[in-house]
Amino acid sequence: MKPASFDYARCDSADEALALLKEHGDEARIMAGGQSLMPMLNMRLVRPAIVVDISAIAALSYCRVEGAAVEIGATFTQGALEAWPEVGRRLPLLAAALPEIGHFQTRNRGTVCGSLCHADPSSELPLCLATLGGEVVLRSARRRRTLKAADFQLGLLTTAREPDEMVMAVRYPLARAGFGYAFREIARRHGDFAIVALAAICNGATVRLGVGGVADRPVVREWANLDAGGLADALNEFAWGLDGSDDIHATARYRREMVRRLGKKVIEEARRCAS
Amino acid sequence: MRVLSKTERHRVRFVLNGEPVEGYAEPRLLLTDFLRHEIGATGTHVGCEHGICGACTIRVDGKAVRACLLLAVQAEGRRIDTVEGLAGRDGRLSSLQAAFHRNFALQCGYCTPGFLMSLSEYLERNPAPTEADIRLALSGNLCRCTGYAEIVAAALEAAREMATKPAG
Ligand SMILES: Cc1cc2nc3c(=O)[nH]c(=O)nc-3n(C[C@@H](O)[C@H](O)[C@H](O)COP(=O)(O)OP(=O)(O)OC[C@H]3O[C@@H](n4cnc5c(N)ncnc54)[C@H](O)[C@@H]3O)c2cc1C
Ligand code: FES
Ligand code: FES
């Protein structure tokens, strides 16, 4: 399994990458950490004319608090975020989710933004972004725009990114006082893609739950003032509404059961953290 | 920025296990194949070529990564470490390698370079790991022979030994 041939550009700045995207459009592929793109190239699932390598753009390898969010640049790796001393306090949901993404060796190269752009329905980082209600910053040679998570990720491996656009950064909202955050997933082996992944945010009155791995993208619901019976009903309705299907990893029925059971657990965990 | 044409072979230079090396690569050439066929450093093994098995794990600027998910041209100017660099110049095994040997942590040995390179970074990050830590850290390396128990034992033993004797 070797890639088909392509031209290769190692960019030193975002402007260089954007100029190449403008010139080549659909024929170009950005390479960030390469942890999803390289397997696709090796299996010849994609055959770009040119690979635009952004991984060495040092100016985009940052993570900082900006207003009410943590902004993470396009080349900042998952491993670097995991090692960020403030991740547990500022982004507790991500601190819980990051260790579940592949293995430390893939997190050493895989980027946060690359995972969002890849838009795998069972990926942890897009699920966290959807549940927290974060946003993605895009740029092309002609414009700059910001999209809400739900407007960015449109379906299976599909985003609203135009061929000449690059994701410059992502903004994950900061943890808020009085809220608890929890993340859980189920996979056959550690590091495998999740069969079902769940992210919960709770305070005294409200419950917000995001589910990955079932629909073609993360799905988020929010409820207020639920008692135990109300929660069970809400989870059951949510599980059916996701309209999951059978695949080689699990049946739709198993996935519904996981949304109900693991959903309850992750919500309880988030509530405990909130109090 | 330079655009490297797909139809040509381009010079690639980096520091491999402390020594400068160079060779030529088309953009599509994987770093695994460059190391093995262009440089002749066959210690790095190739299992799956899509990031799953960990046999090809090397260190790039100190970080353990999959060499099958890197292009040779991306190695330009980097510091690359492979299993060949673990033993001393006199051929003496490193603490980690010696612990693998003592604990029968390999049978066919195909997976071993990947395990060693993963652990060589991991034990620097976490010099006092628990068994659970080691099992988690090794979730990205597959072995079809040993059943892992010996590998985990070797890693724990190496960590203990390195804690008392940091040089090796
Ligand atoms: C063994 C293994 C296990 C894994 N397990 C998991 C897992 O459990 N959960 C999980 O979520 N992921 C998992 N992954 C994938 C994860 O490691 C990748 O890091 C991630 O999906 C993509 O990030 P990347 O930086 O490697 O992007 P790349 O592979 O470089 O790119 C992925 C896609 O996004 C595009 N892209 C990247 N960056 C940008 C940008 N800034 N602007 C526009 N487009 C861009 C690329 O063109 C490409 O189409 C696994 C990978 C491996 C090899
Ligand atoms: S050959 Fe690279 S991970 Fe399997
Ligand atoms: S020793 Fe044979 S695969 Fe691990």
Side-chain angles (χ1 to χ4, degrees):
Chain A
M1 293 193 306
K2 314 288 179 192
S5 55
F6 49 74
D7 292 339
Y8 167 86
R10 174 158 153 181
C11 300
D12 299 313
S13 71
D15 287 338
E16 288 176 354
L18 294 174
L20 288 170
L21 292 182
K22 186 178 169 197
E23 185 182 340
H24 299 279
D26 273 349
E27 296 281 283
R29 272 279 180 163
I30 290 185
M31 176 137 82
Q35 302 301 290
S36 294
L37 182 60
M38 284 300 302
M40 293 193 293
L41 286 169
N42 288 356
M43 291 187 267
R44 301 201 180 188
L45 298 173
V46 292
R47 294 164 172 252
I50 179 168
V51 167
V52 178
D53 184 357
I54 62 167
S55 64
I57 304 179
L60 298 181
S61 179
Y62 68 87
C63 163
R64 58 176 176 247
V65 176
E66 290 270 350
V70 176
E71 184 171 306
I72 299 165
T75 61
F76 201 71
T77 64
Q78 298 149 13
L81 183 59
E82 207 178 349
W84 186 43
E86 300 202 34
V87 71
R89 190 163 67 89
R90 303 290 200 177
L91 299 173
L93 188 62
L94 277 87
L98 281 162
E100 305 288 338
I101 306 171
H103 312 284
F104 83 91
Q105 302 93 330
T106 65
R107 297 194 296 274
N108 272 343
R109 279 203 72 82
T111 62
V112 174
C113 290
S115 176
L116 299 169
C117 294
H118 188 58
D120 190 293
S122 53
S123 276
E124 292 81 359
L125 291 168
L127 171 60
C128 291
L129 193 73
T131 311
L132 289 166
E135 57 189 24
V136 173
V137 182
L138 294 126
R139 228 185 92 193
S140 68
R142 31 185 195 104
R143 65 169 173 177
R144 183 193 156 91
R145 58 179 180 146
T146 302
L147 289 178
K148 291 267 170 225
D151 300 325
F152 177 71
Q153 189 166 356
L154 301 181
L156 179 77
L157 308 185
T158 309
T159 68
R161 186 184 78 86
E162 298 286 338
D164 65 342
E165 280 179 317
M166 166 174 162
V167 168
M168 299 297 293
V170 55
R171 296 196 187 119
Y172 281 95
L174 290 174
R176 288 160 60 194
F179 285 80
Y181 300 82
F183 187 93
R184 290 248 187 159
E185 72 175 48
I186 183 143
R188 288 257 173 209
R189 292 166 304 187
H190 182 88
D192 282 9
F193 276 96
I195 296 172
V196 176
L198 299 124
I201 308 177
C202 299
N203 69 358
T206 62
V207 172
R208 193 190 295 175
L209 183 69
V211 175
V214 184
D216 67 348
R217 72 195 89 168
V219 182
V220 183
R221 286 279 177 285
E222 191 170 294
W223 304 283
N225 304 315
L226 287 178
D227 59 16
L231 178 62
D233 289 345
L235 285 173
N236 184 46
E237 199 190 320
F238 191 11
W240 280 99
L242 289 166
D243 210 15
S245 44
D246 297 351
D247 63 22
I248 53 165
H249 303 293
T251 60
R253 185 175 165 196
Y254 178 83
R255 288 192 162 91
R256 284 193 297 276
E257 193 63 10
M258 285 305 111
V259 172
R260 288 185 290 251
R261 292 198 192 195
L262 221 47
K264 181 161 172 279
K265 275 196 186 157
V266 77
I267 287 167
E268 284 167 359
E269 201 176 318
R271 279 180 170 156
R272 271 198 303 279
C273 303
S275 50
Chain B
M1 176 191 59
R2 209 155 61 93
V3 179
L4 306 181
S5 154
K6 63 179 142 215
T7 54
E8 281 159 49
R9 297 172 83 226
H10 308 273
R11 185 161 73 175
V12 178
R13 286 178 293 190
F14 53 82
V15 174
L16 178 63
N17 300 319
E19 302 285 340
V21 294
E22 71 169 65
Y24 287 82
E26 287 175 14
R28 72 188 188 111
L29 189 72
L30 302 180
L31 183 54
T32 38
D33 290 330
F34 184 83
L35 285 168
R36 293 176 58 84
H37 306 309
E38 184 74 9
I39 304 292
T42 53
T44 301
H45 291 173
V46 179
C48 65
E49 283 186 340
H50 59 274
I52 303 292
C53 74
C56 67
T57 307
I58 61 168
R59 293 177 71 175
V60 176
D61 295 335
K63 301 267 189 211
V65 298
R66 312 294 207 211
C68 72
L69 301 186
L70 280 165
L71 300 170
V73 290
Q74 291 185 292
E76 174 70 26
R78 307 281 174 199
R79 177 166 56 87
I80 308 277
D81 293 290
T82 62
V83 69
E84 286 95 338
L86 288 181
R89 281 181 203 280
D90 56 0
R92 247 222 343 250
L93 297 183
S94 70
S95 298
L96 184 60
Q97 288 172 303
F100 264 61
H101 189 217
R102 272 195 310 276
N103 286 276
F104 301 99
L106 59 150
Q107 289 179 28
C108 78
Y110 200 82
C111 67
T112 313
F115 275 93
L116 292 171
M117 297 315 290
S118 290
L119 283 167
S120 75
E121 187 203 340
Y122 185 74
L123 295 179
E124 285 173 14
R125 288 189 193 201
N126 182 2
T130 63
E131 179 179 339
D133 291 341
I134 293 291
R135 288 196 178 268
L136 195 60
L138 294 180
S139 67
N141 290 84
L142 300 182
C143 174
R144 297 310 303 261
C145 300
T146 62
Y148 302 99
E150 298 86 349
I151 295 176
V152 173
L156 288 168
E157 196 174 294
R160 282 194 297 273
E161 190 181 318
M162 286 153 74
T164 50
K165 184 187 72 160

